[in-house]
Amino acid sequence: MTSRRSWLRNSVLGLAGSTLLTPQRLSALRGHQHRLDGELSGDPDSEKYWALVREHFSFAENLRYFNNGSLGACPTYVVEATNAFRATLDGFPSKYMWGGWQDQKEAVRGKVAAMLHVSPETIALIHNTTEGMNLIASSMDLAAGDEVLLSNHEHTSARIPWKYWQEGKGVVLKTVNLPLIPEGPQEIVEAFRQAITPRTRVISLVHLTNTNGMILPVKAISEMAHAHGILVAVDGAQSMGMINIDLEDLGCDFFTSSSHKWTFSPKGMGVFYAREAAQKHLRPLIVCRGYEDESIRRLENYNTRNLPELLGLGAAMDYRNLIGGEEIERRIYALKAYLREAIAQDERLVLKTPGSDLLSAGIQTVELREHQVGEVKQKLADEFHIDCRPMGSHGLNGLRISLAIYHTKADVDYLVEALRQVLDA
């Protein structure tokens, strides 16, 4: 209860005050805050609780959305807050674009830093993971013959920046092949260990794969890399918001994520982290007045940007804090266990995601035997209004199922029954 009272008092909207939003808009949004506070004061282990959370998301009629790994949705509260900020900006554009919301911007930075257990001076508020990976790859002062290690599960937006910015200089991009279902985290660590040579300068790796939801042991890899003087960059697009992350504990040098996936912020917002000792390596992608700033804010110096979406990220952080990061993670793992148990006895459905909670969480990829995944995906969409992602890389013929806090166990039952009906047809 104390944390919920703090949420009402310290939210981005609370900081806004009547000087930034019209009294009518501020009153309506604060009323929404109080309603959420009342609704989410129940038992987070109850299905009724998560059914209430589901009502905070306004999906299209009849849609069962299992594709959060591609793009998340905003809770209605975040949508309304963002729209209120947008109306305020359009009411006095120059005031709020350049300086009027400075305290609010810093409040958002602080909320993101708190979620990741780091200093605000290590956090830049950018647009998405792709920008963050370009920022890292373009900044590295590498020479011909130097090596960058990337796993075979890297997203194209994490691999192509290295190819574009460094390969033409003669930098070698080495692929580390990972097992699809490793026996344990150490098997992944060992794959990277064997790939390291005296010319290895950077390890760039995904935290949680978008292919089959495998979690990579970033902490152990970072410790090993640093023992060899190697920098570690992490693509956290699928992990941030899904599982609790302590970046100080993980020990990586750089971490970037799109907040419009598992933290449910407005689209086009992202987060960039750079360990203070590693910030010296970074050069901004965009420069304008103020480029001399030595703080991490120099990386987000766009002059004009969509500030309502940035403040909407703050509202998304407030919403997350109201539920609680530990409760969210526990719910994700409960849904994972429920799904895996539901399909375990059906020989036509083969899980291609590691079962251990150390190695996977809210993304589970289910391979289909004797059916083409594209056809099954389309039938699920057309006949059952289910959206999920077909996955064909790495020899998979699977459906990637994203489990999020807006799902109930009844939603999982509906998905599994629909799958069985399609396979029976």
Side-chain angles (χ1 to χ4, degrees):
M1 181 61 70
T2 300
S3 65
R4 290 190 170 94
R5 287 173 180 163
S6 297
W7 175 73
L8 289 168
R9 185 173 64 249
N10 298 323
S11 72
V12 170
L13 289 173
L15 285 169
S18 59
T19 60
L20 296 185
L21 297 176
T22 65
Q24 182 180 8
R25 286 187 178 276
L26 189 62
S27 176
L29 287 166
R30 281 181 172 163
H32 198 161
Q33 286 181 323
H34 283 280
R35 182 176 69 79
L36 290 178
D37 180 48
E39 288 181 353
L40 298 180
S41 61
D43 180 6
D45 290 326
S46 163
E47 280 302 296
K48 290 182 178 179
Y49 178 92
W50 296 105
L52 281 173
V53 170
R54 168 63 179 81
E55 292 179 7
H56 300 160
F57 292 79
S58 299
F59 290 106
E61 186 176 3
N62 296 323
L63 176 65
R64 305 296 179 103
Y65 192 68
F66 287 92
N67 197 13
N68 201 91
S70 293
L71 192 62
C74 288
T76 304
Y77 168 72
V78 175
V79 173
E80 293 180 357
T82 305
N83 287 341
F85 287 122
R86 183 169 292 114
T88 299
L89 175 63
D90 286 330
F92 198 156
S94 61
K95 175 179 179 180
Y96 295 108
M97 181 58 69
W98 297 298
W101 278 335
Q102 195 58 37
D103 290 345
Q104 285 69 32
K105 286 166 61 179
E106 291 305 312
V108 175
R109 191 188 316 278
K111 291 174 189 294
V112 171
M115 178 182 70
L116 297 173
H117 301 278
V118 293
S119 163
E121 297 306 312
T122 63
I123 296 295
L125 303 173
I126 60 172
H127 294 102
N128 51 35
T129 310
T130 303
E131 180 184 343
M133 294 308 302
N134 272 274
L135 178 56
I136 299 165
S138 66
S139 294
M140 295 298 104
D141 186 16
L142 303 179
D146 287 345
E147 297 172 351
V148 177
L149 304 186
L150 303 105
S151 84
N152 61 326
H153 281 266
E154 302 307 310
H155 192 278
T156 53
S157 291
R159 177 176 291 275
I160 289 176
W162 289 106
K163 182 177 180 67
Y164 179 83
W165 292 105
Q166 297 293 343
E167 202 170 46
K169 295 160 50 177
V171 173
V172 178
L173 307 185
K174 289 180 61 176
T175 298
V176 178
N177 291 315
L178 303 179
L180 195 64
I181 305 182
E183 294 183 4
Q186 190 57 38
E187 190 175 352
I188 300 173
V189 177
E190 189 59 30
F192 279 98
R193 185 191 309 278
Q194 292 180 9
I196 291 174
T197 76
R199 297 303 302 268
T200 305
R201 300 290 180 261
V202 181
I203 295 177
S204 183
L205 73 160
V206 62
H207 191 190
L208 193 155
T209 69
N210 80 309
T211 49
N212 71 333
M214 177 169 57
I215 299 174
L216 273 58
V218 171
K219 179 178 180 178
I221 292 170
S222 295
E223 290 174 350
M224 175 184 65
H226 290 161
H228 292 83
I230 298 167
L231 294 169
V232 178
V234 177
D235 165 3
Q238 299 292 359
S239 61
M240 190 180 79
M242 180 202 292
I243 58 177
N244 285 324
I245 296 172
D246 184 334
L247 288 178
E248 287 284 357
D249 184 61
L250 284 186
C252 56
D253 298 284
F254 312 108
F255 178 98
T256 186
S257 181
S258 298
S259 60
H260 52 241
K261 292 181 184 283
W262 302 94
T263 47
F264 310 119
S265 82
K267 313 306 176 277
M269 277 305 305
V271 169
F272 185 87
Y273 160 82
R275 192 165 56 94
E276 290 195 52
Q279 289 181 24
K280 63 186 178 184
H281 296 287
L282 298 172
R283 295 192 298 270
L285 279 169
I286 298 173
V287 292
C288 60
R289 183 177 60 184
Y291 74 92
E292 305 95 337
D293 186 350
E294 295 183 358
S295 80
I296 199 165
R297 293 161 188 79
R298 72 186 186 278
L299 306 180
E300 58 184 51
N301 190 17
Y302 309 114
N303 198 9
T304 58
R305 67 179 305 181
N306 197 329
L307 288 178
E309 291 189 353
L310 188 153
L311 299 185
L313 168 58
M317 292 293 98
D318 291 337
Y319 182 80
R320 174 184 173 82
N321 291 339
L322 180 61
I323 298 174
E326 292 183 4
E327 287 76 9
I328 290 171
E329 182 181 77
R330 187 165 66 246
R331 175 61 175 181
I332 294 294
Y333 279 113
L335 288 172
K336 167 193 165 179
Y338 190 79
L339 171 67
R340 292 181 70 95
E341 183 177 356
I343 65 175
Q345 304 307 315
D346 194 326
E347 294 182 352
R348 300 168 300 176
L349 303 172
V350 182
L351 283 158
K352 290 294 185 176
T353 300
S356 167
D357 285 352
L358 291 175
L359 290 170
S360 76
I363 289 179
Q364 300 289 304
T365 296
V366 181
E367 189 160 69
L368 311 176
R369 288 182 173 171
E370 301 177 3
H371 290 79
Q372 206 283 322
V373 66
E375 295 176 359
V376 172
K377 189 270 185 201
Q378 197 58 50
K379 287 183 179 180
L380 288 173
D382 294 343
E383 299 174 20
F384 297 94
H385 308 288
I386 292 172
D387 185 45
C388 54
R389 168 80 184 274
M391 191 58 60
S393 66
H394 298 80
L396 292 167
N397 179 50
L399 291 171
R400 189 188 70 186
I401 298 168
S402 299
L403 301 167
I405 58 172
Y406 48 74
H407 290 127
T408 63
K409 290 181 178 178
D411 291 325
V412 176
D413 291 338
Y414 180 86
L415 169 67
V416 173
E417 178 59 27
L419 258 175
R420 288 178 173 150
Q421 289 188 34
V422 170
L423 297 181
D424 286 340

